[in-house]
Amino acid sequence: MRVRDLLAPGAPRLRLLAAEEELDRQVTGVMTTDLQDPSRYLHGGELVITGMLWRTAPADSERFVRTLAAGGAVALAAGAAEVGPIPDDLIEACRRHRMPLLAVPDDMAFATLTEYVGRQVSADRAADLAALVDRHRQLVSAAGGGGLDAVLQLLGGDLDLDCWVLSPTGRVIAGPAEHLGAADRDQLVRAHLAAQRQRRRPPHRAQSATGTYSLLPAPADPEAAAPLADWLLAVAGDITEWTAKRQQLAENLAGLVAAERTRRDEDRRLRRRLADEILALLQRDADPAEISRTLHASAVMAGYPSSAANSPTPEETWLIISAEGVGLPEGAVRAVLEEALTDTADRALVAGNGTGAVVVLPAPEAPVPADALRDLLAPLEAGLGSAGRITVGVSAPAQAAGALRGALEEARHARRIAASRVGRVCVAGPEELASHVLLLAAVPDEVRRAFRSRLLDKVIGYDLEHQADLIRTLEAFLRSDGSWTRCAAQLHVHVNTLRYRIGRIEELTGRDLSRLEDRVDFYLALELA
């Protein structure tokens, strides 16, 4: 609203006393004060309402109005109920600083004026937001998408409405990424996924270290059974405290984000077909030249230059990732990996095979650590049900297309290792294929349980009864390669205490920890635990 709107018919009964030429100023907020220096509470655009209790001498008026002008206030409304008529020195000060001065009737409460201005400003912002959303909806329809960042920038800059579009792994798709840290993003996506899993009705309210946020899902297909892959719209503040009209506008913005997601998914269809074709070629052990041609087609699609249809692909080294979902609908894991790996490589090809997925992507210069991939997928744990799991295996880099078949088998073996572990999201890498872990993954569960129980049950039972810390001592002893001094230092105990504990373990189990064979057995039992 503008200052002149406060003098229009139907507005509060205010009387203009100064600066008629400044009535087109935009009012964006309201503040009531009787402080002599309210500058620290001014952000610009305020109508300041005062009872003039700050005035003890004529010189105070000049100082007060000068402070308002410097702080960006657009008008001053003064009430005479407390200190009498508005003095001439205040009127003159407002004229000098071109500050519109409005007289508030004695019978009007400041709260009435504040409420009126608040309603008008809110209605104006809602109208601006509606126009903005409608304009971008037309842009998406006419131009085929794009522009989400521009819209969210306008919302934050012009309407003081900070919004972000996030992937389910916390990647910022649109919005001011520098204003939302990694820890906040992790908290928000976990809160969103948990609310989706519990089928709570949006908007979802989430609290982080930096404030309150409202979360609205933006699914590409509301009927799809893969909410783990949905984008979400995060809005700073609690929109349940907004008016119904303004809440509806936020929901419309979430719908706009969903429309952008749908458009992006349409663009992925051809890449999905190429990915499925490459997986089929690998499974039937096709000619490497045929695989290379398909990889080349994906490179051209990703925008890499090409001079001939048979030219080599830009990268000759590839990674394969094998993933499987338990307790998830078909297609869910594929959709999740497409979102998670968007920033990893713009040429990632994600093929789907029911509840699983296979990814073929150019190998980065540095190997992809399994821990890094696990951290990337960790937020998804919040969206998995009690029986839901995602297990992932990563191959070593494969040189050229001819080595991809072996890399696929390697990734599948690594995934089996991941599946043998405890956890909602488990990842194993190629480095574990040359260790005892691969052998343990192939052992039947009942054999694993029996082996572990036979070696460790008595030790665990003794710990529970006597709080003797034997299991932790055993782990430290094996990590120290049987060194008494190093192990005692790690545990912060005397060597004699350590010798007593190890002796007790040997008595309980009938094993000898000076023998390599017994140490190996204990190590494997602890790994199985």
Side-chain angles (χ1 to χ4, degrees):
M1 67 178 299
R2 300 186 184 279
V3 176
R4 69 172 60 256
D5 296 332
L6 293 167
L7 302 169
R13 295 171 289 106
L14 305 180
R15 184 164 51 92
L16 179 66
L17 299 180
E20 181 179 359
E21 69 279 7
E22 299 295 336
L23 296 183
D24 284 329
R25 292 180 174 184
Q26 191 77 30
V27 179
T28 60
V30 61
M31 182 184 73
T32 301
T33 184
D34 275 309
L35 295 173
Q36 288 185 336
D37 182 6
S39 58
R40 62 182 177 275
Y41 301 111
L42 293 172
H43 304 287
E46 293 91 353
L47 167 69
V48 176
I49 306 174
T50 182
M52 298 186 294
L53 296 177
W54 45 265
R55 182 183 178 277
T56 58
D60 293 340
S61 295
E62 168 65 22
R63 188 162 46 247
F64 184 77
V65 176
R66 184 172 63 245
T67 299
L68 298 189
V74 297
L76 173 63
E82 293 290 333
V83 299
I86 297 174
D88 290 341
D89 49 84
L90 180 57
I91 297 173
E92 288 303 318
C94 286
R95 284 175 179 161
R96 279 193 299 274
H97 291 281
R98 304 172 67 87
M99 178 69 63
L101 176 61
L102 307 168
V104 181
D106 292 351
D107 60 350
M108 180 181 293
F110 286 174
T112 301
L113 180 56
T114 299
E115 183 181 353
Y116 176 81
V117 174
R119 283 200 310 268
Q120 298 303 311
V121 169
S122 179
D124 287 350
R125 286 190 174 183
D128 289 344
L129 180 58
L132 186 64
V133 170
D134 184 63
R135 185 163 73 245
H136 188 64
R137 192 187 304 279
Q138 294 173 8
L139 173 66
V140 171
S141 176
L148 275 182
D149 263 315
V151 167
L152 298 190
Q153 183 178 1
L154 284 172
L155 288 171
D158 295 351
L159 303 179
D160 196 25
L161 185 63
D162 290 331
C163 303
W164 297 264
V165 179
L166 303 177
S167 79
T169 55
R171 176 174 59 91
V172 177
I173 296 165
E178 66 278 8
H179 296 160
L180 194 66
D184 284 325
R185 297 198 303 270
D186 183 77
Q187 284 184 275
L188 295 184
V189 297
R190 286 177 183 269
H192 161 74
L193 289 168
Q196 291 286 88
R197 177 172 54 82
Q198 296 162 8
R199 300 184 183 277
R200 298 206 305 268
R201 184 175 180 179
H204 311 306
R205 186 176 180 275
Q207 189 74 35
S208 80
T210 57
T212 301
Y213 297 85
S214 298
L215 311 177
L216 296 112
D221 180 2
E223 302 300 321
L228 279 177
D230 287 345
W231 289 355
L232 68 139
L233 174 67
V235 182
D238 186 354
I239 71 172
T240 61
E241 297 177 353
W242 296 0
T243 64
K245 182 177 181 181
R246 193 165 170 82
Q247 288 184 39
Q248 182 61 52
L249 291 170
E251 292 169 7
N252 289 345
L253 182 59
L256 184 69
V257 174
E260 178 71 4
R261 168 68 185 274
T262 299
R263 182 201 64 78
R264 199 285 317 273
D265 284 351
E266 289 293 326
D267 291 345
R268 279 182 171 172
R269 284 192 175 185
L270 182 54
R271 289 182 61 78
R272 285 182 172 181
R273 286 201 295 271
L274 283 172
D276 289 340
E277 183 179 344
I278 288 175
L279 179 59
L281 291 173
L282 293 177
Q283 288 176 330
R284 64 180 174 86
D285 203 12
D287 184 346
E290 190 176 0
I291 297 173
S292 183
R293 283 194 295 271
T294 307
L295 290 173
H296 171 63
S298 74
V300 173
M301 185 183 305
Y304 289 86
S306 171
S307 58
N310 294 321
S311 62
T313 54
E315 288 85 12
E316 290 294 329
T317 304
W318 301 82
L319 284 181
I320 290 189
I321 297 173
S322 175
E324 186 70 28
V326 176
L328 300 177
E330 290 191 7
V333 175
R334 178 183 200 165
V336 162
L337 289 178
E338 283 179 332
E339 289 302 324
L341 297 173
T342 296
D343 281 350
T344 303
D346 59 357
R347 289 184 52 208
L349 294 168
V350 187
N353 53 358
T355 59
V358 171
V359 185
V360 181
L361 73 161
E365 292 181 4
V368 177
D371 287 345
L373 186 55
R374 198 247 174 244
D375 290 343
L376 178 67
L377 299 175
L380 300 174
E381 294 174 343
L384 297 170
S386 58
R389 294 190 76 204
I390 297 176
T391 55
V392 182
V394 185
S395 77
Q399 297 295 324
L404 282 176
R405 171 66 185 176
L408 176 60
E409 289 305 315
E410 191 173 67
R412 285 174 170 168
H413 282 304
R415 195 205 62 76
R416 293 188 190 102
I417 292 174
S420 70
R421 293 174 174 160
V422 176
R424 297 290 185 85
V425 177
C426 297
V427 182
E431 65 281 356
E432 299 180 70
L433 295 177
S435 75
H436 64 279
V437 179
L438 178 60
L439 299 178
L440 294 180
V443 176
D445 286 344
E446 61 273 15
V447 176
R448 292 154 58 93
R449 284 193 295 269
F451 180 80
R452 181 177 64 237
S453 175
R454 191 172 297 116
L455 257 73
L456 297 181
D457 275 3
K458 289 183 179 179
V459 181
I460 293 171
Y462 190 89
D463 268 354
L464 292 173
E465 184 176 353
H466 302 281
Q467 290 78 49
D469 221 9
L470 296 186
I471 288 293
R472 190 166 75 93
T473 300
L474 176 60
E475 291 173 336
F477 187 72
L478 295 175
R479 282 198 307 270
S480 304
D481 298 323
S483 169
W484 296 99
T485 54
R486 278 194 288 136
C487 182
Q490 285 183 23
L491 294 173
H492 304 290
V493 299
H494 194 275
V495 172
N496 289 342
T497 302
L498 176 60
R499 291 185 183 277
Y500 172 80
R501 292 182 183 178
I502 295 298
R504 177 62 64 186
I505 293 171
E506 291 175 335
E507 289 177 13
L508 291 168
T509 60
R511 298 298 187 104
D512 182 357
L513 277 163
S514 66
R515 298 177 66 246
L516 176 62
E517 296 89 337
D518 286 343
R519 287 187 192 178
V520 170
D521 284 347
F522 276 120
Y523 178 80
L524 294 177
L526 288 169
E527 285 288 295
L528 292 171

